[in-house]
Amino acid sequence: MLEIIKSWSTPMLRRNRIFQNHEELVELGRSHTAEDDKQNNRFINGTPFMDNPIIDELKEWLLQSAFDVASQSNNWDRAYTPELADIWSWSSTDYDNLLHGHHNCSWSGIYCLEEGNSSVEGYNGSTIMFSPLPWGGYSDPGNLFLEKQFLHWHHLGKGDLLLFPSYVRHSAKYKGTDPRTIIAFNITFK
């Protein structure tokens, strides 16, 4: 199912798919995060994570999903080719990924392998998307609706994909007893 969420005149895509080799993907995501902990849990193009055949089917689906949302959003009359700029994994029982955006790419995404379990209330275990619209000006009851639309919380379950334009700032925080494992990536178009 293709769900394109349009907020702030910014499309985001949500899809769900669990692959037959899901447990292998989880193990890969956990092991590569642990191996690269000193380098911010990140694997960039050309590393064994990017070239591992275990993620080939997942990569094809991620690229097709990016093409679907970008072509629909742009009303393309010709085909552009999506390419993974980089891909990495996070797996942890306690992390705080502070507010940030992604540069030198047009789309970014998060694919959830394990959602973990939340040990505190609030947005724990969610990815929060922040509106690209400016906020902080004059406020009264006439524009109170803006505050409610400034943030989007996305709790991703097993197999959920969230795809968004790379300029959209976002953050995530998780504390639980079971690991939350995700694969994150950036995409460019040629």
mmCIF file of all heavy atoms in Angstrom, residues 57-76:
data_model
loop_
_atom_site.group_PDB
_atom_site.id
_atom_site.type_symbol
_atom_site.label_atom_id
_atom_site.label_comp_id
_atom_site.label_asym_id
_atom_site.label_seq_id
_atom_site.Cartn_x
_atom_site.Cartn_y
_atom_site.Cartn_z
ATOM 1 N N GLU A 57 17.263 -7.165 -1.893
ATOM 2 C CA GLU A 57 15.821 -7.022 -2.139
ATOM 3 C C GLU A 57 15.271 -5.792 -1.412
ATOM 4 O O GLU A 57 14.444 -5.056 -1.967
ATOM 5 C CB GLU A 57 15.083 -8.289 -1.694
ATOM 6 C CG GLU A 57 13.626 -8.292 -2.093
ATOM 7 C CD GLU A 57 12.899 -9.576 -1.684
ATOM 8 O OE1 GLU A 57 13.514 -10.474 -1.058
ATOM 9 O OE2 GLU A 57 11.696 -9.667 -1.994
ATOM 10 N N LEU A 58 15.738 -5.561 -0.197
ATOM 11 C CA LEU A 58 15.327 -4.366 0.545
ATOM 12 C C LEU A 58 15.745 -3.111 -0.209
ATOM 13 O O LEU A 58 14.940 -2.185 -0.374
ATOM 14 C CB LEU A 58 15.943 -4.373 1.948
ATOM 15 C CG LEU A 58 15.786 -3.086 2.758
ATOM 16 C CD1 LEU A 58 14.324 -2.790 3.046
ATOM 17 C CD2 LEU A 58 16.586 -3.173 4.053
ATOM 18 N N LYS A 59 16.988 -3.055 -0.702
ATOM 19 C CA LYS A 59 17.456 -1.879 -1.441
ATOM 20 C C LYS A 59 16.595 -1.620 -2.673
ATOM 21 O O LYS A 59 16.229 -0.470 -2.940
ATOM 22 C CB LYS A 59 18.924 -2.044 -1.845
ATOM 23 C CG LYS A 59 19.893 -1.938 -0.692
ATOM 24 C CD LYS A 59 21.352 -1.867 -1.112
ATOM 25 C CE LYS A 59 21.780 -2.900 -2.077
ATOM 26 N NZ LYS A 59 23.225 -2.916 -2.357
ATOM 27 N N GLU A 60 16.254 -2.669 -3.420
ATOM 28 C CA GLU A 60 15.398 -2.497 -4.606
ATOM 29 C C GLU A 60 14.055 -1.886 -4.224
ATOM 30 O O GLU A 60 13.541 -0.998 -4.910
ATOM 31 C CB GLU A 60 15.179 -3.841 -5.302
ATOM 32 C CG GLU A 60 16.374 -4.355 -6.060
ATOM 33 C CD GLU A 60 16.108 -5.709 -6.701
ATOM 34 O OE1 GLU A 60 14.942 -5.974 -7.084
ATOM 35 O OE2 GLU A 60 17.067 -6.501 -6.810
ATOM 36 N N TRP A 61 13.479 -2.362 -3.125
ATOM 37 C CA TRP A 61 12.182 -1.858 -2.677
ATOM 38 C C TRP A 61 12.289 -0.406 -2.210
ATOM 39 O O TRP A 61 11.409 0.412 -2.501
ATOM 40 C CB TRP A 61 11.639 -2.763 -1.573
ATOM 41 C CG TRP A 61 10.292 -2.378 -1.063
ATOM 42 C CD1 TRP A 61 9.107 -2.456 -1.735
ATOM 43 C CD2 TRP A 61 9.982 -1.870 0.236
ATOM 44 N NE1 TRP A 61 8.073 -2.027 -0.927
ATOM 45 C CE2 TRP A 61 8.590 -1.667 0.292
ATOM 46 C CE3 TRP A 61 10.740 -1.579 1.363
ATOM 47 C CZ2 TRP A 61 7.950 -1.176 1.420
ATOM 48 C CZ3 TRP A 61 10.109 -1.095 2.492
ATOM 49 C CH2 TRP A 61 8.725 -0.899 2.513
ATOM 50 N N LEU A 62 13.368 -0.070 -1.510
ATOM 51 C CA LEU A 62 13.570 1.309 -1.061
ATOM 52 C C LEU A 62 13.689 2.248 -2.267
ATOM 53 O O LEU A 62 13.077 3.320 -2.288
ATOM 54 C CB LEU A 62 14.827 1.418 -0.190
ATOM 55 C CG LEU A 62 14.837 0.639 1.114
ATOM 56 C CD1 LEU A 62 16.193 0.767 1.804
ATOM 57 C CD2 LEU A 62 13.704 1.061 2.029
ATOM 58 N N LEU A 63 14.465 1.836 -3.264
ATOM 59 C CA LEU A 63 14.636 2.659 -4.462
ATOM 60 C C LEU A 63 13.328 2.799 -5.232
ATOM 61 O O LEU A 63 12.987 3.888 -5.712
ATOM 62 C CB LEU A 63 15.732 2.079 -5.357
ATOM 63 C CG LEU A 63 17.146 2.154 -4.771
ATOM 64 C CD1 LEU A 63 18.106 1.322 -5.605
ATOM 65 C CD2 LEU A 63 17.613 3.598 -4.666
ATOM 66 N N GLN A 64 12.555 1.719 -5.347
ATOM 67 C CA GLN A 64 11.255 1.785 -6.031
ATOM 68 C C GLN A 64 10.292 2.689 -5.264
ATOM 69 O O GLN A 64 9.553 3.477 -5.868
ATOM 70 C CB GLN A 64 10.651 0.389 -6.197
ATOM 71 C CG GLN A 64 9.347 0.389 -6.974
ATOM 72 C CD GLN A 64 9.509 0.899 -8.396
ATOM 73 O OE1 GLN A 64 10.353 0.418 -9.145
ATOM 74 N NE2 GLN A 64 8.711 1.894 -8.782
ATOM 75 N N SER A 65 10.308 2.609 -3.950
ATOM 76 C CA SER A 65 9.444 3.473 -3.128
ATOM 77 C C SER A 65 9.805 4.939 -3.326
ATOM 78 O O SER A 65 8.918 5.797 -3.465
ATOM 79 C CB SER A 65 9.568 3.095 -1.647
ATOM 80 O OG SER A 65 9.088 1.787 -1.426
ATOM 81 N N ALA A 66 11.102 5.232 -3.355
ATOM 82 C CA ALA A 66 11.543 6.613 -3.580
ATOM 83 C C ALA A 66 11.121 7.093 -4.966
ATOM 84 O O ALA A 66 10.666 8.226 -5.123
ATOM 85 C CB ALA A 66 13.056 6.720 -3.407
ATOM 86 N N PHE A 67 11.285 6.225 -5.959
ATOM 87 C CA PHE A 67 10.859 6.597 -7.310
ATOM 88 C C PHE A 67 9.353 6.868 -7.339
ATOM 89 O O PHE A 67 8.901 7.847 -7.944
ATOM 90 C CB PHE A 67 11.220 5.511 -8.324
ATOM 91 C CG PHE A 67 10.762 5.852 -9.708
ATOM 92 C CD1 PHE A 67 11.516 6.699 -10.508
ATOM 93 C CD2 PHE A 67 9.561 5.358 -10.203
ATOM 94 C CE1 PHE A 67 11.075 7.040 -11.784
ATOM 95 C CE2 PHE A 67 9.120 5.695 -11.461
ATOM 96 C CZ PHE A 67 9.884 6.545 -12.266
ATOM 97 N N ASP A 68 8.571 6.015 -6.692
ATOM 98 C CA ASP A 68 7.111 6.184 -6.698
ATOM 99 C C ASP A 68 6.689 7.527 -6.127
ATOM 100 O O ASP A 68 5.888 8.246 -6.722
ATOM 101 C CB ASP A 68 6.431 5.053 -5.924
ATOM 102 C CG ASP A 68 6.537 3.702 -6.601
ATOM 103 O OD1 ASP A 68 6.923 3.649 -7.799
ATOM 104 O OD2 ASP A 68 6.246 2.685 -5.929
ATOM 105 N N VAL A 69 7.223 7.876 -4.954
ATOM 106 C CA VAL A 69 6.791 9.120 -4.322
ATOM 107 C C VAL A 69 7.368 10.338 -5.042
ATOM 108 O O VAL A 69 6.683 11.337 -5.226
ATOM 109 C CB VAL A 69 7.116 9.144 -2.808
ATOM 110 C CG1 VAL A 69 8.610 9.253 -2.542
ATOM 111 C CG2 VAL A 69 6.377 10.280 -2.117
ATOM 112 N N ALA A 70 8.609 10.262 -5.517
ATOM 113 C CA ALA A 70 9.207 11.406 -6.209
ATOM 114 C C ALA A 70 8.535 11.642 -7.561
ATOM 115 O O ALA A 70 8.265 12.791 -7.935
ATOM 116 C CB ALA A 70 10.709 11.195 -6.388
ATOM 117 N N SER A 71 8.256 10.575 -8.305
ATOM 118 C CA SER A 71 7.625 10.755 -9.615
ATOM 119 C C SER A 71 6.206 11.281 -9.472
ATOM 120 O O SER A 71 5.776 12.145 -10.236
ATOM 121 C CB SER A 71 7.653 9.464 -10.432
ATOM 122 O OG SER A 71 6.907 8.455 -9.805
ATOM 123 N N GLN A 72 5.482 10.803 -8.469
ATOM 124 C CA GLN A 72 4.125 11.306 -8.252
ATOM 125 C C GLN A 72 4.148 12.753 -7.771
ATOM 126 O O GLN A 72 3.353 13.576 -8.213
ATOM 127 C CB GLN A 72 3.375 10.424 -7.257
ATOM 128 C CG GLN A 72 1.936 10.838 -7.070
ATOM 129 C CD GLN A 72 1.153 9.862 -6.214
ATOM 130 O OE1 GLN A 72 1.503 8.706 -6.087
ATOM 131 N NE2 GLN A 72 0.091 10.346 -5.617
ATOM 132 N N SER A 73 5.068 13.082 -6.894
ATOM 133 C CA SER A 73 5.154 14.448 -6.351
ATOM 134 C C SER A 73 5.591 15.457 -7.396
ATOM 135 O O SER A 73 5.170 16.616 -7.372
ATOM 136 C CB SER A 73 6.131 14.480 -5.176
ATOM 137 O OG SER A 73 5.685 13.616 -4.146
ATOM 138 N N ASN A 74 6.455 15.022 -8.324
ATOM 139 C CA ASN A 74 6.993 15.925 -9.342
ATOM 140 C C ASN A 74 6.249 15.871 -10.673
ATOM 141 O O ASN A 74 6.574 16.632 -11.582
ATOM 142 C CB ASN A 74 8.466 15.593 -9.602
ATOM 143 C CG ASN A 74 9.346 15.970 -8.441
ATOM 144 O OD1 ASN A 74 9.417 17.130 -8.077
ATOM 145 N ND2 ASN A 74 10.005 14.992 -7.854
ATOM 146 N N ASN A 75 5.286 14.967 -10.813
ATOM 147 C CA ASN A 75 4.579 14.772 -12.086
ATOM 148 C C ASN A 75 5.552 14.581 -13.245
ATOM 149 O O ASN A 75 5.457 15.248 -14.274
ATOM 150 C CB ASN A 75 3.635 15.949 -12.374
ATOM 151 C CG ASN A 75 2.550 16.067 -11.347
ATOM 152 O OD1 ASN A 75 1.936 15.075 -10.962
ATOM 153 N ND2 ASN A 75 2.332 17.275 -10.861
ATOM 154 N N TRP A 76 6.506 13.673 -13.065
ATOM 155 C CA TRP A 76 7.531 13.456 -14.084
ATOM 156 C C TRP A 76 6.935 12.901 -15.361
ATOM 157 O O TRP A 76 6.041 12.064 -15.346
ATOM 158 C CB TRP A 76 8.571 12.463 -13.576
ATOM 159 C CG TRP A 76 9.527 13.050 -12.593
ATOM 160 C CD1 TRP A 76 9.803 14.366 -12.393
ATOM 161 C CD2 TRP A 76 10.326 12.330 -11.662
ATOM 162 N NE1 TRP A 76 10.736 14.519 -11.404
ATOM 163 C CE2 TRP A 76 11.071 13.281 -10.940
ATOM 164 C CE3 TRP A 76 10.501 10.976 -11.376
ATOM 165 C CZ2 TRP A 76 11.973 12.920 -9.951
ATOM 166 C CZ3 TRP A 76 11.389 10.625 -10.391
ATOM 167 C CH2 TRP A 76 12.124 11.586 -9.683
#
